[in-house]
Amino acid sequence: MESTFNEMDSIFQRTRNALTEFMGIITPIINNSTDDHERLYWHHIYEEEDHRSDRLNLLLPKLEQVMNKEITITENHGDFLHLLQDISLEKFGLHNFLEHLDLSLFQFKGTEFEEQIQALRDFTYDDYQKMKVILETLNQEFKGGIQFNTSIPTDEKAGIGESLKIAAYSHDHDHDHDHDHHVPIGQKPNQTYKKGLTVGSLKQ
């Protein structure tokens, strides 16, 4: 169990750094947005990641307490159950971050930031797969104390119509680097950010 918490700590440390990097990329788009729709689109993504950063800043010290044996690992321990709930929420946050990165790849296709965002996307995908396994392990270990249904995204829920799911995030999807992206809301099919723009001057 100790190795499980060490692995989670590494994943959450990595994703906290990644989301900070990602927020830095999209900040100029918000600042230089040309209409309310564009500004709201990116503001919504930024705000979710900003809140996730705050949650991770609270979660990581708790994981450190577990690794230092300052919190008892038992399903009857209140603090530990709250920690498991927090972990469950951040597993879902990792899924949302993956979607945000995919949305951004549409916008940044062919620009100087595409490779950078793709790299963030690739290890985030791998980390999310690891977190699914970890949550299943914790669910089996502490099945009498808590269930993690709140961390199951729509794409993986039973009883949800397939038309409402995205295959790239479902259980049966095989990951590769060639994604058949759809155009996100608010963007025309041929609309991308111009090549060669710097982070400080991103405009359409």
Side-chain angles (χ1 to χ4, degrees):
M1 187 58 62
E2 183 177 346
S3 63
T4 298
F5 281 87
N6 286 333
E7 185 175 16
M8 281 193 292
D9 181 70
S10 296
I11 289 171
F12 290 140
Q13 293 279 4
R14 191 158 48 243
T15 195
R16 182 172 62 174
N17 293 336
L19 71 86
T20 299
E21 182 177 347
F22 175 67
M23 289 164 63
I25 294 173
I26 67 174
T27 294
I29 303 178
I30 300 171
N31 292 339
N32 298 316
S33 57
T34 58
D35 57 59
D36 290 341
H37 190 174
E38 181 187 26
R39 181 176 177 81
L40 179 59
Y41 177 85
W42 289 105
H43 171 269
H44 175 73
I45 291 176
Y46 183 98
E47 185 174 47
E48 285 197 354
E49 297 306 331
D50 185 43
H51 287 173
R52 191 165 73 96
S53 178
D54 290 340
R55 295 196 307 268
L56 287 169
N57 287 338
L58 294 174
L59 174 61
L60 285 166
K62 294 179 183 177
L63 290 180
E64 186 175 354
Q65 285 182 305
V66 172
M67 292 185 291
N68 292 335
K69 297 181 172 52
E70 296 173 19
I71 292 180
T72 304
I73 301 180
T74 169
E75 61 188 64
N76 297 319
H77 193 285
D79 288 343
F80 184 65
L81 288 180
H82 289 150
L83 174 61
L84 293 181
Q85 291 173 325
D86 291 342
I87 291 169
S88 175
L89 177 61
E90 293 318 312
K91 178 254 187 180
F92 190 81
L94 198 60
H95 170 272
N96 283 350
F97 186 42
L98 181 62
E99 289 191 341
H100 291 163
L101 291 168
D102 274 343
L103 285 169
S104 299
L105 280 172
F106 293 115
Q107 300 281 36
F108 289 102
K109 185 176 180 60
T111 73
E112 62 190 275
F113 301 106
E114 180 180 10
E115 183 176 350
Q116 181 181 1
I117 295 174
Q118 184 68 58
L120 296 176
R121 196 273 178 201
D122 288 345
F123 74 69
T124 296
Y125 178 89
D126 291 339
D127 282 345
Y128 179 60
Q129 303 312 307
K130 294 173 185 176
M131 278 304 303
K132 287 197 290 187
V133 174
I134 289 172
L135 261 292
E136 181 62 28
T137 300
L138 291 175
N139 218 357
Q140 293 298 319
E141 183 76 18
F142 303 102
K143 63 178 68 175
I146 187 171
Q147 295 296 315
F148 299 105
N149 295 333
T150 55
S151 71
I152 302 175
T154 300
D155 306 297
E156 299 173 14
K157 279 186 177 179
I160 299 292
E162 293 301 315
S163 62
L164 296 176
K165 299 181 180 181
I166 303 297
Y169 312 121
S170 67
H171 285 296
D172 301 325
H173 179 72
D174 291 327
H175 174 57
D176 58 47
H177 300 306
D178 297 320
H179 308 290
D180 182 17
H181 293 306
H182 299 286
V183 177
I185 297 172
Q187 180 187 336
K188 297 177 182 178
N190 61 352
Q191 181 181 5
T192 58
Y193 287 91
K194 295 177 183 179
K195 295 182 181 180
L197 292 176
T198 63
V199 173
S201 63
L202 270 176
K203 292 184 181 179
Q204 288 185 291

